[in-house]
Amino acid sequence: MSSKKLVNSVAGCADDALAGLVACDPNLQILQGHRVALRSDLDNLKGRVALLSGGGSGHEPAHAGFVGKGMLTGVIAGAVFTSPAVGSILAAIRAVAQAGTVGTLLIVKNYTGDRLNFGLAREQARAEGIPVEMVVIGDDSAFTVVKKAGRRGLCGTVLIHKVAGALAEAGMGLEEITKRVSVVAKAMGTLGVSLSSCSVPGSKPTFELSADEVELGLGIHGEAGVRRIKMATADEIMALMLDHMTNTSNASHVPVQPGSSVVMMINNLGGLSFLELGIIADAAIRSLEGRGVKIARALVGTFMSALEMPGFSLTLLLVDEPLLKLIDAETTAAAWPNVAKVSVTGRKRSRAAPTEPQEAPGSTPAGGSASKLMALVLEQVCTTLLGLEEQLNALDRAAGDGDCGTTHSRAARAIQGWLKEGPTPASPALLLSKLSVLLLEKMGGSSGALYGLFLTAAAQPLKAKTDLPAWSAAMDAGLEAMQKYGKAAPGDRTMLDSLWAAGQELQAWKSPGADLFQVLTKAVKNAEAAAEATRNMEAGAGRASYISSARLDQPDPGAVAAAAILRAILEVLKNQGV
């Protein structure tokens, strides 16, 4: 069974993709009758060298994304993973020649079909009197022994587009550009890794990988790599890749050594998330700098994909200052990133955190019986939440992403770690304020924000007094803040339902002579009943509000967690005979 693709037709997908790109970019035009994209200001290039590249479709944004001032003059696209037709390549050469350019450089990735078709078009153009040169780029560092076919052309080709484009923009001649980029091409290497394969529209995946395998050293056409390794962390895979790329016994290695300065390119092969790209980039920078390599520029993104392949390639280009100036030169190519023209290595990457506000004079010092009681309460709350992790996750899977228990457990572990650092503040206001900061930082998700809001607001009435009316006012303040910013109301099937039910009963604390335990016991029972009642409610807020009510036949996990927290507080206070 072929994989699903959002296309109009398998046969027309390459044409449609190029048409869409050109339609969205006023700087591009399609050459009539051909799958060729050219700069729309082509007539302004009289007297300059034209740069043409291309290859099969499916590598987007390559190659058309790199057409523009300071990069390519035009590109010729084949069908998916198929070399472009000789006739279209020749038409592109003729088009730029007739626009008044003084010569054309063909930048070709080292694949048999590309070499043959671009080479044949070059010979035909030269026979017509058009000056044309061709450079074949092979930057693959996968093979330890270079085969007769040579190194494959991979994402490093994009850097050659950039260098050649800067030279052409500066007015350099065809022969000199050809010589310069040929030298640069020998100073770089690329290695790819993937978690699984890709599939050409209308076809099945090109190869299969088991769940615990990773493909190392693969190309950009869905072909398998040089070997398979066991799934590992990003750090471990990056270390393995760099070891392979820089090993001098590898015939296709990059001569990177301590003290070298490089441009690093992390290229998404199509299916990795931006989250993963960030992790990979961090691993690469730490690993390279740990080896004494200076990273002059870092490019991270999708430059030359392999359809939806969930993998990436790492390209390293040895650079000096003159070469860096070419990399930094201005370009209007849509897919070239806006890279800062400063070295990555040596830059300060963090700044000091803001200072904490000073505690108010006269604050109750930590320690003492009140402090110990609060620690006991928090320990019981943490134990309760950790014990509920799987239950809360199961409840959350019906209406969310199944992480409510994990989120509350993360909060519990953060509180446990904080308790180990020293005695808790004896001041209830200060305790709630510090818990608020801790949960906002460590808990995450909307739950962390809501608890943080609740605790921050609840702390305010407790700054002046800590009697029962003040605690009731604290509950009111917390509930008001949750409703104001969370946009939930009682009956919306959220954690607010449990807290609201308890808060209504705690109003009794405002009456003279109110009994602590009698009121609190009833408040906890009300909270538990409200949590159970959420199973019959239609969600009016939160992620669950997007789910059909017919699927929500379990209590809201946030309401269950809030009720459990109140029950834990009650049990400790009773056991301690407060």
Side-chain angles (χ1 to χ4, degrees):
M1 179 179 176
S2 61
S3 60
K4 292 187 289 187
K5 293 283 192 298
L6 280 172
V7 299
N8 295 315
S9 69
V10 171
C13 62
D15 293 292
D16 291 349
L18 187 62
L21 181 63
V22 172
C24 294
D25 190 345
N27 296 315
L28 300 180
Q29 291 179 326
I30 284 181
L31 188 62
Q32 290 182 1
H34 300 278
R35 200 182 291 128
V36 173
L38 297 169
R39 285 174 57 173
S40 57
D41 64 346
L42 188 60
D43 294 328
N44 296 332
L45 300 183
K46 293 178 180 178
R48 294 182 183 272
V49 172
L51 305 175
L52 296 177
S53 188
S57 297
H59 302 304
E60 290 75 17
H63 302 81
F66 301 109
V67 174
K69 182 179 180 181
M71 287 195 79
L72 298 175
T73 311
V75 296
I76 309 93
V80 175
F81 293 171
T82 304
S83 299
V86 174
S88 291
I89 301 170
L90 182 58
I93 296 172
R94 288 170 175 163
V96 297
Q98 290 170 16
T101 58
V102 294
T104 299
L105 175 61
L106 304 178
I107 302 173
V108 181
K109 297 186 300 300
N110 187 31
Y111 292 99
T112 301
D114 288 357
R115 288 198 317 271
L116 290 173
N117 289 5
F118 276 89
L120 180 55
R122 176 200 179 206
E123 293 304 320
Q124 290 179 341
R126 286 163 66 99
E128 296 175 8
I130 303 173
V132 184
E133 295 294 341
M134 186 169 93
V135 290
V136 178
I137 308 301
D139 56 312
D140 185 10
S141 291
F143 296 98
T144 55
V145 177
V146 177
K147 299 182 179 182
K148 183 178 181 180
R151 300 165 68 184
R152 294 173 294 190
L154 301 175
C155 191
T157 308
V158 174
L159 295 176
I160 298 301
H161 294 162
K162 185 66 181 63
V163 171
L167 293 172
E169 191 64 31
M172 187 172 287
L174 176 60
E175 184 177 347
E176 185 61 24
I177 294 175
T178 305
K179 290 179 180 178
R180 291 281 295 274
V181 298
S182 297
V183 172
V184 172
K186 295 176 182 178
M188 69 178 178
T190 299
L191 187 65
V193 67
S194 185
L195 308 180
S196 65
S197 65
C198 61
S199 57
V200 174
S203 302
K204 296 179 180 179
T206 52
F207 62 85
E208 298 291 339
L209 275 176
S210 63
D212 64 341
E213 287 183 320
V214 175
E215 194 81 15
L216 180 70
L218 71 172
I220 53 172
H221 300 99
E223 68 270 40
V226 293
R227 65 185 172 113
R228 292 181 178 180
I229 59 175
K230 289 297 181 182
M231 187 67 193
T233 66
D235 284 349
E236 291 167 340
I237 289 176
M238 184 55 64
L240 179 67
M241 293 176 71
L242 288 173
D243 287 344
H244 186 92
M245 293 177 72
T246 60
N247 188 338
T248 54
S249 65
N250 176 359
S252 58
H253 75 281
V254 192
V256 172
Q257 53 192 348
S260 295
S261 182
V262 301
V263 168
M264 179 192 82
M265 177 180 272
I266 302 289
N267 171 55
N268 188 354
L269 286 172
L272 281 191
S273 64
F274 281 96
L275 178 101
E276 291 164 292
L277 280 185
I279 293 169
I280 291 162
D282 177 60
I285 289 173
R286 284 188 287 103
S287 189
L288 283 167
E289 291 182 341
R291 298 166 186 243
V293 177
K294 178 184 176 183
I295 303 169
R297 302 288 185 271
L299 288 72
V300 181
T302 305
F303 305 102
M304 186 174 286
S305 65
L307 291 170
E308 80 284 18
M309 182 174 283
F312 73 96
S313 63
L314 170 67
T315 300
L316 298 177
L317 169 65
L318 287 161
V319 292
D320 53 18
E321 284 304 316
L323 184 52
L324 266 184
K325 289 182 179 179
L326 299 176
I327 296 291
D328 289 341
E330 296 297 324
T331 178
T332 61
W336 183 259
N338 183 21
V339 181
K341 299 174 183 179
V342 293
S343 176
V344 170
T345 298
R347 183 178 64 85
K348 189 176 181 181
R349 294 173 189 156
S350 64
R351 63 183 301 133
T355 57
E356 294 287 335
Q358 295 295 316
E359 292 183 15
S363 295
T364 308
S369 59
S371 178
K372 292 177 182 177
L373 177 62
M374 292 181 185
L376 289 173
V377 169
L378 290 174
E379 287 168 358
Q380 183 60 39
V381 168
C382 292
T383 300
T384 299
L385 292 177
L386 290 170
L388 288 173
E389 180 173 3
E390 289 305 317
Q391 179 187 343
L392 295 177
N393 280 342
L395 291 174
D396 193 35
R397 278 191 282 272
D401 47 11
D403 69 344
C404 182
T406 302
T407 301
H408 281 79
S409 291
R410 188 160 56 238
R413 293 188 181 93
I415 293 172
Q416 287 177 331
W418 178 63
L419 290 173
K420 292 177 182 178
E421 295 175 2
T424 61
S427 162
L430 185 57
L431 174 69
L432 297 188
S433 294
K434 288 188 174 294
L435 283 175
S436 170
V437 172
L438 182 69
L439 296 185
L440 286 170
E441 181 180 347
K442 301 293 186 180
M443 187 176 188
S446 57
S447 296
L450 288 169
Y451 278 118
L453 279 168
F454 179 88
L455 293 170
T456 298
Q460 307 314 307
L462 296 172
K463 289 181 177 179
K465 294 181 180 180
T466 58
D467 54 9
L468 291 183
W471 280 102
S472 178
M475 188 70 165
D476 292 343
L479 290 170
E480 182 182 353
M482 289 182 73
Q483 291 181 85
K484 179 178 179 180
Y485 294 103
K487 297 298 182 183
D492 279 346
R493 198 183 188 275
T494 68
M495 63 190 291
L496 180 67
D497 289 301
S498 294
L499 295 172
W500 179 266
Q504 293 304 104
E505 185 58 37
L506 293 182
Q507 296 296 317
W509 277 349
K510 295 176 181 176
S511 302
D515 182 87
L516 166 65
F517 285 114
Q518 183 179 354
V519 173
L520 183 57
T521 299
K522 191 171 182 181
V524 171
K525 289 181 179 179
N526 286 359
E528 291 170 337
E532 178 62 22
T534 58
R535 73 165 65 235
N536 301 316
M537 295 179 184
E538 182 174 346
R543 188 177 286 127
S545 62
Y546 302 107
I547 306 297
S548 169
S549 59
R551 294 173 56 190
L552 301 176
D553 56 355
Q554 297 293 327
D556 178 72
V560 171
I565 291 170
L566 293 173
R567 171 62 67 180
I569 294 171
L570 174 62
E571 289 176 356
V572 173
L573 294 179
K574 279 188 173 181
N575 291 337
Q576 295 301 311
V578 174

